[in-house]
Amino acid sequence: MSTFRVALSLAHREFTRFMRQPHRVVGTVAQPLLFWLFMGAGFSGSFKPPGMGQISYLEYFYPGIMLMMMLFASIFSSITIIEDRDAGFLQGVLVAPVSRMAIVLGKVLGGTAIAMVQTVIFTIAAPFLGLHLGLASLVPLVAAFILTGVGFSALGFLLAWGMRSTAGFHAVMMVFLMPLWMLSGALFPVTGVPWWLQAVMMINPVHHALNVIRAPFYAGPQTLLADGHYLLSLAVTVGWAVLCLVVSMLRVGKREKGVTPIPVGTAAMQPAE
Amino acid sequence: MILIDRLTHVYPGTRKLPPRTAIADLTMEVREGEFTILSGPNGSGKSTLFRILCGLALPSGGRITVAGHDLFAEPAKVRRILGVVFQSPAVDKHLTVAENLRIHADLYGLSGRDFAARRDEALAWTDLGGRLEQKVDTLSGGLARQVELAKVMMTRPRVLLLDEPTTGLDPASRRNFLAALHRLQKDKRMTVLMTSHVFAEADDVDRVAVMREGHLLAYDTPQALKAMIGTEMVVVQPADPEAFAAKLRDEQGFAVRRHGDEIRLEETENGEGLPMLERILERYRPEIRSISIRQPGLEDVFVHITGRAARDGAPSETPLQRTGSR
């Protein structure tokens, strides 16, 4: 119980911090939005995915952009870990009598909350795309946002924890996190790509997260819960989030340990008794 | 209160660097209710010891108990009685003073009336009165430090660890901070261990520990440490320190110590300094740029013990003249 209270307090801090930095708010909202508008408008004319009927690229790309918002929000909240841990706020948290899970959850829930604000606002665009979202569909959609947010934030946490410099984190983001997003099906569908790419995409957990976000726009909760593909994607997304959380917690709990001294004949080697 | 028993810490080597021993077989006891300063040159192992004491790192070997609890086996129990002030700020500068205190209270499970009372108590000695709603990054360095200390005091720690807490403060802020710290330590009967380079800070503490290369070189009261090098010392600045040191040693039979441009004649008892000074002046006047008698301070003890000048210490009392000397 106290773990959860501490986590909420830390998450609240994360959120307040975000809202106090207007350029961060503008940046994280505007970038995906511009991406969506420009790429959506640009590709709409030529985009004819096999077996997807009359879907415009603007519409196809819409859940992918939501996923990108999740990715960015988690990255921005994890990046502070690197500096905070050795020379900042986290130092004080680490020496406090709180469970290590609370530290991870605080960061992850904070990142998720930041991402949620953006994606929920972005959901307003759905009717303009001709997507009719019933109230019942909002439940699986919001659940999908939370799950994906937790998954990405926990993954970001895990990556950032072992880092010494923010520059290193940018590198990891470009060669690891961005490709995960690119190969999720956010930019192009899984169908019609070379077999090897399809294989990579299918084992990419972010692909399943995208499915979980996309599905509620096209089917009601009952249909979803009867759909094997959806349930598989849901299971993968949940598994990914839980795994990252647990591994993060173990990492935080692990204190750096000195190595065993080399036994050389020094003065320190005199018998103790 | 803090028992350190045969502590050893070795940092793992890398492909290019061999493993490095930061703490070597260190045994010491910090007594309950005492204010202890831990000093030592850079790389002496004091920061490593600090990290281990906070529970952020595990040593290669040895044991530490804090208030009877094994720090490595029961970190959670020790965390509850520990307060830590880090060298770099551990407050969130985008949040207000009140928000920072609130989060810290949450971490230690303080809430409601309890929290309000503790907060007022912790803020009582500070100058933060009208600034609770100000963001920390709008405060001066001195005030920001007060937030750190107030935050930690709120949880009423029995043991307070501070890592060079006055780094970057101007002299007035530094004095304020230390005065408050001393007052709080006495009022609450806290056990305080503070690392510091600044020896002006060590004069009115209970005990000073000096580390070098992972070993404890000295650990005693400031008075006892000062007595180690006599009550007076003669400090000479000759034109050629190397040759002059040899001369004093060979021709006068003085025990000399060279520190950079200075030659020091330590372990001089009261009243012996002046005749020595006269003797030196009489014979070597042309070779000497300056000469003085000093009461040894803790910085001199530190220099004596560690065998080299403290890098970040206060400037020496005679300004060096380097231009055109050679």
Side-chain angles (χ1 to χ4, degrees):
Chain A
M1 198 58 225
S2 82
T3 297
F4 200 64
R5 248 197 68 180
V6 171
L8 277 187
S9 177
L10 291 174
H12 182 249
R13 171 239 174 190
E14 207 73 35
F15 192 75
T16 315
R17 244 178 99 84
F18 174 74
M19 296 310 256
R20 296 254 166 96
Q21 293 166 279
H23 58 277
R24 253 183 83 184
V25 182
V26 172
T28 45
V29 176
Q31 190 181 3
L33 206 62
L34 290 178
F35 243 70
W36 179 60
L37 282 177
F38 294 162
M39 287 182 73
F43 276 122
S44 271
S46 51
F47 183 74
K48 295 278 178 288
M52 283 199 129
Q54 290 302 315
I55 185 170
S56 74
Y57 192 70
L58 211 54
E59 183 184 336
Y60 178 80
F61 197 26
Y62 180 63
I65 278 298
M66 291 179 154
L67 197 64
M68 186 190 226
M69 288 174 159
M70 294 287 178
L71 178 69
F72 280 7
S74 72
I75 285 169
F76 281 118
S77 66
S78 328
I79 207 160
T80 54
I81 293 174
I82 299 162
E83 282 159 353
D84 265 12
R85 190 184 150 198
D86 286 332
F89 179 79
L90 263 185
Q91 302 175 101
V93 180
L94 286 170
V95 299
V98 297
S99 78
R100 308 293 103 171
M101 193 56 180
I103 300 175
V104 178
L105 270 182
K107 201 79 192 169
V108 167
L109 292 181
T112 307
I114 293 168
M116 290 278 290
V117 173
Q118 300 164 22
T119 45
V120 166
I121 292 173
F122 197 52
T123 310
I124 297 169
F128 300 100
L129 290 166
L131 294 169
H132 299 290
L133 206 56
L135 268 181
S137 291
L138 275 179
V139 179
L141 185 66
V142 170
F145 288 158
I146 294 175
L147 265 181
T148 322
V150 169
F152 269 130
S153 299
L155 182 65
F157 190 103
L158 200 54
L159 293 174
W161 193 258
M163 301 253 164
R164 289 262 154 244
S165 75
T166 48
F169 191 74
H170 282 292
V172 167
M173 183 183 112
M174 290 319 286
V175 301
F176 183 66
L177 291 176
M178 279 305 275
L180 278 184
W181 174 76
M182 275 189 251
L183 297 182
S184 67
L187 287 165
F188 46 81
V190 181
T191 46
V193 297
W195 65 269
W196 58 269
L197 193 58
Q198 189 167 25
V200 173
M201 288 172 80
M202 291 308 286
I203 57 166
N204 177 7
V206 182
H207 165 69
H208 296 279
L210 181 68
N211 284 349
V212 173
I213 293 180
R214 195 192 296 271
F217 288 107
Y218 299 98
Q222 274 94 10
T223 331
L224 288 179
L225 289 175
D227 180 353
H229 290 289
Y230 177 78
L231 291 177
L232 171 71
S233 286
L234 190 65
V236 171
T237 312
V238 171
W240 166 38
V242 171
L243 183 73
C244 286
L245 277 179
V246 171
V247 178
S248 295
M249 187 191 73
L250 293 178
R251 281 299 303 266
V252 175
K254 213 176 120 193
R255 290 175 278 180
E256 54 176 285
K257 190 167 179 358
V259 293
T260 319
I262 316 151
V264 283
T266 58
M269 293 304 289
Q270 289 159 354
E273 274 78 37
Chain B
M1 193 63 170
I2 307 177
L3 276 170
I4 302 170
D5 183 28
R6 305 211 63 183
L7 194 75
T8 299
H9 192 85
V10 181
Y11 283 108
T14 59
R15 249 183 306 158
K16 285 177 189 155
L17 292 167
R20 190 173 65 81
T21 304
I23 296 172
D25 206 32
L26 182 83
T27 298
M28 74 182 269
E29 179 192 354
V30 178
R31 287 187 216 163
E32 180 157 11
E34 285 198 343
F35 193 130
T36 301
I37 281 204
L38 178 65
S39 70
N42 298 328
S44 58
K46 58 184 193 311
S47 300
T48 305
L49 179 59
F50 186 83
R51 280 185 66 77
I52 294 174
L53 282 172
C54 299
L56 291 176
L58 288 172
S60 304
R63 261 167 58 92
I64 295 181
T65 56
V66 181
H69 301 293
D70 187 315
L71 175 62
F72 311 131
E74 312 173 289
K77 282 203 175 126
V78 177
R79 282 187 191 122
R80 214 169 296 279
I81 55 169
L82 206 63
V84 185
V85 176
F86 294 91
Q87 187 177 352
S88 44
V91 289
D92 189 327
K93 61 183 168 60
H94 293 291
L95 301 187
T96 66
V97 176
E99 285 167 334
N100 269 297
L101 293 175
R102 171 82 251 178
I103 293 176
H104 198 71
D106 285 341
L107 294 178
Y108 286 78
L110 294 173
S111 58
R113 208 179 298 165
D114 221 14
F115 163 59
R118 294 274 194 106
R119 187 182 68 173
D120 295 345
E121 173 192 304
L123 286 170
W125 60 270
T126 65
D127 309 314
L128 294 165
R131 301 176 193 264
L132 286 183
E133 299 309 322
Q134 243 172 287
K135 278 198 233 169
V136 173
D137 64 356
T138 63
L139 299 178
S140 68
L143 285 176
R145 274 282 118 176
Q146 291 190 356
V147 181
E148 302 267 349
L149 188 56
K151 171 184 116 158
V152 170
M153 289 309 299
M154 203 168 54
T155 65
R156 293 189 186 149
R158 282 172 66 196
V159 177
L160 181 60
L161 305 174
L162 305 101
D163 189 14
E164 305 193 18
T166 58
T167 307
L169 292 189
D170 62 58
S173 307
R174 162 176 289 162
R175 207 164 301 157
N176 281 344
F177 183 86
L178 290 170
L181 182 61
H182 276 287
R183 212 165 44 238
L184 289 168
Q185 186 261 337
K186 289 217 171 62
D187 286 355
K188 317 276 176 204
R189 298 280 306 140
M190 270 188 308
T191 308
V192 175
L193 182 66
M194 169 170 125
T195 67
S196 177
H197 272 317
V198 185
F199 289 91
E201 294 177 350
D203 269 319
D204 37 0
V205 303
D206 297 309
R207 235 164 261 273
V208 177
V210 181
M211 282 181 78
R212 194 189 64 183
E213 288 167 9
H215 295 277
L216 193 60
L217 294 182
Y219 182 36
D220 217 325
T221 61
Q223 296 73 27
L225 286 177
K226 282 187 215 166
M228 278 172 71
I229 59 169
T231 46
E232 282 182 358
M233 61 190 228
V234 180
V235 180
V236 191
Q237 275 207 326
D240 181 353
E242 186 79 53
F244 196 73
K247 249 184 215 173
L248 286 185
R249 198 181 304 120
D250 301 340
E251 296 174 13
Q252 303 297 326
F254 288 147
V256 296
R257 231 166 215 281
R258 200 188 138 195
H259 297 292
D261 292 348
E262 289 181 355
I263 308 290
R264 293 183 173 191
L265 306 166
E266 294 167 346
E267 289 160 56
T268 311
E269 288 316 311
N270 262 344
E272 286 176 18
L274 194 59
M276 266 168 115
L277 182 141
E278 282 172 340
R279 204 159 120 201
I280 295 168
L281 265 186
E282 200 177 297
R283 300 187 192 197
Y284 308 107
R285 179 68 194 88
E287 296 167 53
I288 295 171
R289 278 205 215 126
S290 84
I291 184 163
S292 61
I293 296 177
R294 266 196 355 220
Q295 311 269 305
L298 275 172
E299 192 182 340
D300 303 308
V301 178
F302 181 83
V303 168
H304 177 91
I305 296 172
T306 59
R308 58 174 174 159
R311 283 181 217 166
D312 308 323
S316 59
E317 91 260 64
T318 39
L320 301 177
Q321 288 186 328
R322 290 189 187 280
T323 39
S325 64
R326 252 156 242 231

